[in-house]
Amino acid sequence: MSTLTYPERGATAHRPLPTGYHHLHHRTLVGHGRAAFEAAGAAVTTFRMHRRAGVRIRADRERAQPGGAVECAIGFGPLRIVAPCEVVWTAYENDRVGFAYGTLARHPECGEESFVVHLAADGAVWFTVTAFSRPARWYSRLVGPVVPLLQRLYARRYGNTLRRIAAGA
């Protein structure tokens, strides 16, 4: 089993997030109704949302399960950034589906990120990205303040991608 690069395993599942990290919380309305919820939940937990948003994913399992290895990559050629992770928790509930992965050695950041789809009582389907992270490599420290901005932009991209997936349900 791999070793996470931070001690707060599972901290995205509850509040408050640990201190000493940059925090991200982004929420997007992605649809309405059970069909949209199920489509969005399946897209999140099978990494389809990531792939459709332009992230290369290699996972050792078809759907998110605790202990599963996930490698995310963005960029091209020598500019490709590879980010190895491990799934630390999952939620497969009647009105809440998602997972979180934590960083492993060689990841440019240190921390955890969760992706959760929630079906509200009024039928609204919400997608939430929650993360805490800090630079772990020289190049992520070098670009410093740009990293949180990029994370926010990618959270927004995930939400927009999931909205399109849910609309097709």
Side-chain angles (χ1 to χ4, degrees), residues 51-112:
R51 289 183 178 102
R52 293 266 308 262
V55 176
R56 291 181 182 214
I57 293 283
R58 285 194 326 191
D60 68 349
R61 298 166 192 184
E62 287 186 32
R63 83 181 212 172
Q65 295 177 6
V70 180
E71 185 178 86
C72 304
I74 58 171
F76 301 96
L79 298 178
R80 178 172 290 136
I81 296 173
V82 177
C85 301
E86 178 183 311
V87 176
V88 295
W89 63 261
T90 58
Y92 291 100
E93 301 165 10
N94 188 48
D95 64 354
R96 185 173 164 265
V97 175
F99 75 96
Y101 50 45
T103 58
L104 299 174
R106 295 183 11 254
H107 194 294
E109 294 286 303
C110 171
E112 189 174 293

Side-chain angles (χ1 to χ4, degrees), residues 86-150:
E86 178 183 311
V87 176
V88 295
W89 63 261
T90 58
Y92 291 100
E93 301 165 10
N94 188 48
D95 64 354
R96 185 173 164 265
V97 175
F99 75 96
Y101 50 45
T103 58
L104 299 174
R106 295 183 11 254
H107 194 294
E109 294 286 303
C110 171
E112 189 174 293
E113 188 169 24
S114 70
F115 310 91
V116 177
V117 178
H118 173 75
L119 178 61
D122 66 357
V125 179
W126 292 95
F127 170 63
T128 305
V129 177
T130 303
F132 61 92
S133 63
R134 61 182 171 222
R137 313 284 284 175
W138 67 267
Y139 54 86
S140 54
R141 282 190 288 278
L142 183 67
V143 294
V146 175
V147 173
L149 172 65
L150 294 174

